[in-house]
Amino acid sequence: MKRFDLRTREELSAEVARFGGELPWSDDLAVLGEPVAVAGRRLANRFVVQPMEGVDACDDGGTPGELTFRRYRRFAAGGSALIWFESAAVVPEGRSGPRQLMLTDQNLDVWRRLVDETRRAAREQGCGDVVLLLQLTHSGRYSRPQGRPAPVTAQRNPLLERAMPEMPVTEPVSDDALERLREAFVATAVRAERAGFDGVDMKAVHGYLVAELLGAHGREGRYGGPYEQRTRFLKACVSDMRQALARTTWVASRLTVLEPSDYPYGWGVAAREGAWQPDLAEPLRLIGELTALGVPFHNISMGYPRFQPYLNRPHDRALAGCPPPPEDPLRGVVRFQETVRAVRRAAGGVPVITAALSWLRHLAPPVAAGLVREGWCDLIGFGRSAFAYPDAANDILRGGGMVSGKCCVTCSMCSQIMKDAVGRGGCVVRDSAVYAPEYRRGREAARQTMAAREL
Ligand SMILES: Cc1cc2nc3c(=O)[nH]c(=O)nc-3n(C[C@H](O)[C@H](O)[C@H](O)COP(=O)(O)O)c2cc1C
Ligand code: SF4
């Protein structure tokens, strides 16, 4: 399969034309530096650091560690107007691993310091006031609070159960447990406000519990079955948080528009038997309802990163032992942007944030400017680029572009660190002094586990 080798607009256009796609372009990047009004606040420019889990909490139950502080200081000094802090679990059993962040009464002061230091880093670099959001999650089917799989599921899903034979099969979480979880989401949101965040995000993407509930067609009780009930948990949490938080604190939701399981298991898929086909009808309806509940913007994503990473983070190299991407990564970039455009058309003027641009490397800024100018999105989110190139926004706004040698090369090594669940996460290529040893620790542990299994 072809790896990234594009240098110019002409080469990019020729590749996009090969599969009949479309991707806007603008050589004038000024639009990316424009302030944007969002729900009573002013974002200084159009750049957003997307949530990127660094699995670097201390061993005491989710307290931000030394590398967590370093990451957020670097993000803030890099010039993006909005930093969307990575997923933090709202209950211990909902953690993706023992080093996922948690915000508790016990570590609230450390979080306060993290928020303060992040804001200070932005000011010291002349980046002004940065807006900070915290993503709240329950890892659901992917929970591994002690490092071993301990899934909490919305419903039985034969496709996912077959794909993850190492996961014990469990009965779906009860409605009573979900009621308690609603309270935990709200309690963590209140703590986030006390820590100084400008807002919170109900994470509803990438197959985690809140996203899985959206597609729980076969679930009985208050949180499954018809659309109203499948979307109840997310909407109820957003509305409970709205009640509990100050009017000026944002409640957002990073929302999936596609959980690609065969109907009747997926979300954003057509309601007919057989292999899944995307259908945006329900996601767009939900986006309208979330707007009515006061979410300030829509940050969307799609797919299960574990099984179809090409849908949400187009890449050149796959994780160890995983098949290479089944399509040209550029197709994934274009599909993602086209989906964002469809969401924006339906969003009634509420700003929409895009992602999945990192594969484009130094071509991302003119494409991003084109996307904004042609009305495909309002804000530009960088995920892996933020790990690899935290000051990309400053380089684009002050220097007129991204430097090729600083760009993410979509090698999946940061995802590998997460999967190996031993090292702390960051860019192995561009920040190698810190993260290459973390990567090697994870790989070595994985090799030892394999060897022990073979004995
Ligand atoms: C290592 C890693 C960690 C991530 N952590 C999160 C997360 O905590 N929450 C989330 O919503 N998305 C997470 N993502 C997805 C990114 O936010 C982003 O959507 C994705 O990487 C595509 O954007 P990009 O092409 O700019 O990387 C993660 C991705 C990677 C590779
Ligand atoms: S390790 Fe670095 S270069 Fe590789 S995908 Fe992650 S951020 Fe990009």
Side-chain angles (χ1 to χ4, degrees), residues 112-366:
R112 244 187 222 123
R113 194 155 55 75
L114 177 61
V115 166
D116 289 348
E117 287 195 21
T118 305
R119 291 194 194 285
R120 191 174 327 123
R123 279 195 301 270
E124 282 171 4
Q125 290 301 313
C127 304
D129 289 331
V130 65
V131 174
L132 308 180
L133 246 64
L134 177 63
Q135 183 173 70
L136 308 181
T137 195
H138 185 300
S139 300
R141 199 172 275 281
Y142 303 97
S143 301
R144 291 171 178 262
Q146 313 296 332
R148 291 180 303 282
V152 176
T153 59
Q155 65 175 347
R156 298 286 307 271
N157 181 327
L159 184 97
L160 297 179
E161 286 169 12
R162 270 197 308 274
M164 295 188 284
E166 76 282 11
M167 295 285 198
V169 173
T170 53
E171 282 310 305
V173 60
S174 70
D175 280 6
D176 286 350
L178 287 176
E179 302 290 345
R180 289 193 294 278
L181 190 58
R182 268 173 65 174
E183 289 167 20
F185 268 102
V186 177
T188 313
V190 169
R191 276 183 219 116
E193 184 180 69
R194 287 171 54 206
F197 281 100
D198 299 300
V200 290
D201 158 31
M202 274 295 296
K203 182 178 190 179
V205 281
H206 303 156
Y208 297 110
L209 186 61
V210 184
E212 192 178 9
L213 280 164
L214 297 175
H217 298 267
R219 184 186 167 90
E220 293 180 355
R222 281 172 52 72
Y223 295 103
Y227 170 88
E228 272 310 329
Q229 294 178 196
R230 282 181 281 120
T231 55
R232 174 176 281 149
F233 187 82
L234 171 58
K235 289 186 288 190
C237 285
V238 169
S239 139
D240 292 348
M241 288 176 186
R242 242 328 2 116
Q243 295 289 316
L245 301 175
R247 203 175 41 81
T248 48
T249 301
W250 284 348
V251 180
S253 178
R254 191 167 201 210
L255 182 69
T256 179
V257 293
L258 174 63
E259 298 286 291
S261 281
D262 301 346
Y263 184 80
Y265 294 98
W267 161 254
V269 294
R272 48 174 184 267
E273 302 287 325
W276 61 269
Q277 292 291 324
D279 180 346
L280 279 178
E282 286 196 345
L284 293 182
R285 178 174 170 195
L286 181 54
I287 281 168
E289 291 169 353
L290 290 172
T291 302
L293 288 173
V295 305
F297 38 39
H298 300 293
N299 188 7
I300 66 148
S301 190
M302 61 173 94
Y304 303 127
R306 180 161 173 156
F307 307 112
Q308 301 105 341
Y310 59 94
L311 288 175
N312 70 81
R313 51 173 165 84
H315 53 284
D316 281 344
R317 282 177 193 271
L319 293 172
C322 294
E327 61 178 16
D328 185 331
L330 184 55
R331 264 182 195 264
V333 174
V334 171
R335 180 191 301 112
F336 198 100
Q337 306 317 316
E338 284 172 345
T339 309
V340 168
R341 175 170 59 168
V343 167
R344 188 171 186 272
R345 280 186 180 145
V350 175
V352 174
I353 309 173
T354 196
L357 292 168
S358 291
W359 185 83
L360 291 172
R361 280 84 160 171
H362 64 286
L363 302 180

Side-chain angles (χ1 to χ4, degrees), residues 6 27 106 135 252 423 433:
L6 306 171
D27 285 316
Q106 289 68 40
Q135 183 173 70

Side-chain angles (χ1 to χ4, degrees), residues 52 313 315 317 358 383-389 406-415 417 426-431 435 439:
M52 290 290 291
R313 51 173 165 84
H315 53 284
R317 282 177 193 271
S358 291
R384 291 161 295 173
S385 293
F387 266 9
Y389 194 163
K406 293 167 79 176
C407 288
C408 166
V409 294
T410 69
C411 66
S412 296
M413 286 202 267
C414 49
S415 302
I417 295 178
C427 182
V428 181
V429 176
R430 304 297 185 199
D431 202 359
Y435 292 108
Y439 175 78

